[in-house]
Amino acid sequence: MIPCRTIRHLPKAMMTLWTLVALLIGIAIQAQDTPPETGQTDLEAGTFRNPLNDYGGADPWLTYYDGNYYLATTTWASYWAMRKSPTLAGLKTAEPIIIYHETDPSRCCNFWAPEFYLLDGPDGPRWYFYYTAGVAANQDSQHTHVLESEGTDPLGPYTYKGRLYDASHDVWAIDGSVLQYDDALYFLYSIWDGPDQSIAIAPMSNPWTLSGPGTIISQPEYDWETRGLRVNEAPVALQHDDDTFIVYSASFCGTPDYKLGLLELSGDDPLDAAAWEKHPEPVFQQSEANGVYGPGHNGFFMSPDGSEYWLVYHANDATSYGCDGRRSTRAQPFTWNEDGTPNFGVPVSTAEAIAAPAGDMGIDPMPTTVPSVRFAAAAMEGAYLSHSNFYIEVGFSGANSPDSEFRIVPGLADEEAVSIESVNFPGFYLHQQNNAVVLSAYDGSDTYEADSTWWLQPGLADDSGISFESYSQPGLFIGRRMGLIALTPLTDEASETEREDATFYIEPINHATESTAED
């Protein structure tokens, strides 16, 4: 890898984002032993390659409605965003549209697992957007919530409708989903029961209210459900002909062994645990041959012409990746076995061209992607800017850690400046808070945007590097104060040590090379 410190002719004036992006892409290309792939330009219309996003694609939910595909994924933050495109491949470059932002501290944060359904409400059909959320301090208070759309546009606008909970057993609950069976609604979700993360079902009186207690219908029992942790989560209904299934995710998402299992309704009452039969083998799991690991947390959608069933899921590109923002969204068609069960096949390689859903003749675009980077500290050889418990630090553990991976994106407050987004926590940015530098979730406010925007200046100690000047407090730079990473005033009288503490070198990350080394 050739770090940015080898570039000796950076302008003395402020660098724009676009100049920097071009510089980084050039460096990343030089760093590879072989020419980079040319993207998707070799594909014919009506074909595409996975993934649908290169990061931030966990827990995807995708549907086709009224001529467009709509995609939402976990944000980890306080807002929901959705992408819309008339073609599946077009989702790759569709701009995310923020459809909801939450400020209530009891449900403000850690947004996970979106699902949205068009259901009958008191004023006619409405989109009900189910999700998991909790408090800012930790993930111990995660619960399921639902939004209601004003009309029938999946983009909303939405209003908060309520929290879904079992009044007799109100506990940590995630991954809410809806089963429609015999003109009734049932809520599917995941809870802890002793050492087991389990799947429960409860009746619903309307799309936002449970009308009875939950019943556990699946717990980890096979070895393949207990890798890393004993987990059954992310239940989602699948119906075909007269058969009703629940597909769920098993084992810990931080392992490459995250996979899909299958429950089949063999009785007439979905609330009867004995009516669900678990298949003894996983139905979808990692493929070393195809370089796809930890495939899971899935959804389903139909092709535009209604003839094909499609699976959407997230997966990782390396065995070392886990439950973070490096998971990407994938989609592929599936068929049905002679016994009526779904046949999902194996996860498709990102190098393989896939025929688009029937009726979709879109052209796979070649999105302009900004490479992931690390910021090497000028003051400490081998040390990198990284986050730990959402505080920013400079340390030696960052060299191979996802906590030191960032993306340089257009400034939230000013696109001529930049913002620095975490790769493993998409939607979280380098942010100054009372002059401390932290990693925090985007909250949609003007103040947040200004405090998370930076001018990239030539390095104060070495102009082949860069320094981060605060957009909201000009003249203050990311540096070191009393041993902590904080905003620091740096004038012409600043010492050489102070200048070095505020200087970093940009190192683009070649994930293909790193993945090969890790595996």
Side-chain angles (χ1 to χ4, degrees):
M1 181 177 297
I2 303 174
C4 276
R5 65 191 79 178
T6 61
I7 306 299
R8 297 296 177 185
H9 303 291
L10 296 182
K12 294 292 183 181
M14 184 183 309
M15 292 181 288
T16 68
L17 172 67
W18 313 118
T19 300
L20 180 64
V21 168
L23 176 65
L24 289 175
I25 291 174
I27 292 168
I29 290 173
Q30 293 177 47
Q32 297 176 357
D33 295 329
T34 58
E37 293 184 9
T38 56
Q40 318 301 340
T41 54
D42 59 317
L43 294 182
E44 298 178 353
T47 59
F48 75 102
R49 290 192 183 101
N50 280 319
L52 298 179
N53 41 46
D54 57 349
Y55 74 114
D59 311 339
W61 189 259
L62 195 159
T63 194
Y64 183 82
Y65 174 75
D66 198 22
N68 286 284
Y69 298 89
Y70 295 85
L71 171 65
T73 60
T74 281
T75 67
W76 291 95
S78 302
Y79 66 89
W80 284 115
M82 196 178 290
R83 296 175 187 265
K84 171 185 176 181
S85 171
T87 67
L88 185 63
L91 290 170
K92 294 184 177 186
T93 52
E95 288 294 323
I97 299 169
I98 294 179
I99 61 169
Y100 184 77
H101 182 262
E102 183 60 77
T103 58
D104 186 319
S106 70
R107 56 175 191 262
C108 68
C109 306
N110 294 310
F111 280 16
W112 300 345
E115 296 192 11
F116 44 98
Y117 299 84
L118 188 63
L119 302 172
D120 288 331
D123 299 315
R126 293 291 185 270
W127 288 96
Y128 290 91
F129 192 106
Y130 298 89
Y131 64 100
T132 301
V135 299
N138 53 53
Q139 297 168 11
D140 298 334
S141 300
Q142 295 291 91
H143 292 96
T144 52
H145 303 264
V146 63
L147 311 175
E148 182 184 57
S149 67
E150 184 176 291
T152 56
D153 185 346
L155 295 177
Y158 285 91
T159 56
Y160 182 77
K161 194 65 177 177
R163 180 166 76 88
L164 296 103
Y165 62 97
D166 175 355
S168 66
H169 191 54
D170 188 8
V171 296
W172 184 93
I174 66 169
D175 298 349
S177 188
V178 173
L179 165 64
Q180 301 177 69
Y181 182 80
D182 278 353
D183 298 322
L185 298 179
Y186 299 88
F187 194 59
L188 308 173
Y189 56 105
S190 180
I191 60 173
W192 282 99
D193 180 54
D196 296 328
Q197 191 176 334
S198 308
I199 293 171
I201 187 171
M204 305 177 76
S205 57
N206 55 48
W208 61 91
T209 308
L210 303 191
S211 56
T215 300
I216 291 177
I217 58 173
S218 180
Q219 294 185 298
E221 56 183 292
Y222 296 107
D223 177 69
W224 55 267
E225 298 178 288
T226 62
R227 306 290 175 83
L229 289 171
R230 300 176 60 84
V231 174
N232 282 185
E233 65 180 10
V236 61
L238 175 63
Q239 294 169 313
H240 181 247
D241 294 335
D242 294 326
D243 296 324
T244 295
F245 304 93
I246 291 175
V247 178
Y248 64 95
S249 297
S251 288
F252 176 44
C253 62
T255 72
D257 296 307
Y258 198 58
K259 56 179 68 71
L260 297 183
L262 184 70
L263 302 176
E264 183 173 0
L265 184 63
S266 58
D268 296 324
D269 182 5
L271 297 175
D272 179 6
W276 293 97
E277 178 183 348
K278 178 179 291 189
H279 286 236
E281 299 294 334
V283 291
F284 196 64
Q285 59 189 316
Q286 66 172 305
S287 170
E288 288 190 42
N290 290 340
V292 182
Y293 304 97
H297 204 119
N298 72 292
F300 302 105
F301 65 99
M302 299 298 294
S303 61
D305 69 357
S307 68
E308 295 175 346
Y309 287 79
W310 279 71
L311 174 74
V312 62
Y313 60 98
H314 73 230
N316 279 317
D317 291 325
T319 58
S320 60
Y321 292 4
C323 297
D324 61 28
R326 293 175 295 180
R327 292 172 290 181
S328 57
T329 300
R330 325 304 178 86
Q332 61 189 73
F334 67 93
T335 57
W336 299 91
N337 296 313
E338 289 186 3
D339 65 359
T341 58
N343 184 344
F344 298 129
V346 298
V348 175
S349 166
T350 56
E352 181 177 336
I354 305 172
D360 178 345
M361 291 301 294
I363 297 174
D364 197 342
M366 185 172 65
T368 301
T369 57
V370 180
S372 301
V373 301
R374 291 190 175 100
F375 299 108
M380 291 191 291
E381 185 72 25
Y384 292 83
L385 202 67
S386 64
H387 63 86
S388 177
N389 295 321
F390 300 105
Y391 283 93
I392 301 302
E393 63 183 16
V394 170
F396 296 99
S397 63
N400 298 304
S401 169
D403 294 341
S404 67
E405 293 187 31
F406 298 94
R407 291 179 189 261
I408 304 172
V409 300
L412 296 173
D414 185 336
E415 292 192 356
E416 290 300 312
V418 303
S419 290
I420 309 300
E421 184 179 17
S422 168
V423 167
N424 62 343
F425 284 92
F428 284 64
Y429 296 85
L430 255 63
H431 176 78
Q432 77 85 10
Q433 184 174 303
N434 299 321
N435 288 347
V437 182
V438 300
L439 189 73
S440 68
Y442 178 67
D443 70 7
S445 69
D446 292 343
T447 299
Y448 179 94
E449 291 179 351
D451 289 340
S452 300
T453 300
W454 309 89
W455 295 116
L456 288 188
Q457 301 284 15
L460 296 175
D462 179 353
D463 65 8
S464 69
I466 55 99
S467 293
F468 300 94
E469 183 181 10
S470 171
Y471 178 87
S472 60
Q473 298 191 63
L476 298 185
F477 292 78
I478 293 180
R480 188 177 295 274
R481 179 182 291 183
M482 299 180 66
L484 302 176
I485 301 302
L487 291 188
T488 305
L490 293 174
T491 65
D492 292 341
E493 289 74 36
S495 69
E496 183 63 21
T497 297
E498 290 173 322
R499 292 174 179 274
E500 286 185 347
D501 285 339
T503 300
F504 301 88
Y505 301 107
I506 303 171
E507 296 186 356
I509 299 170
N510 186 338
H511 276 297
T513 299
E514 290 194 357
S515 296
T516 300
E518 291 165 349
D519 296 340

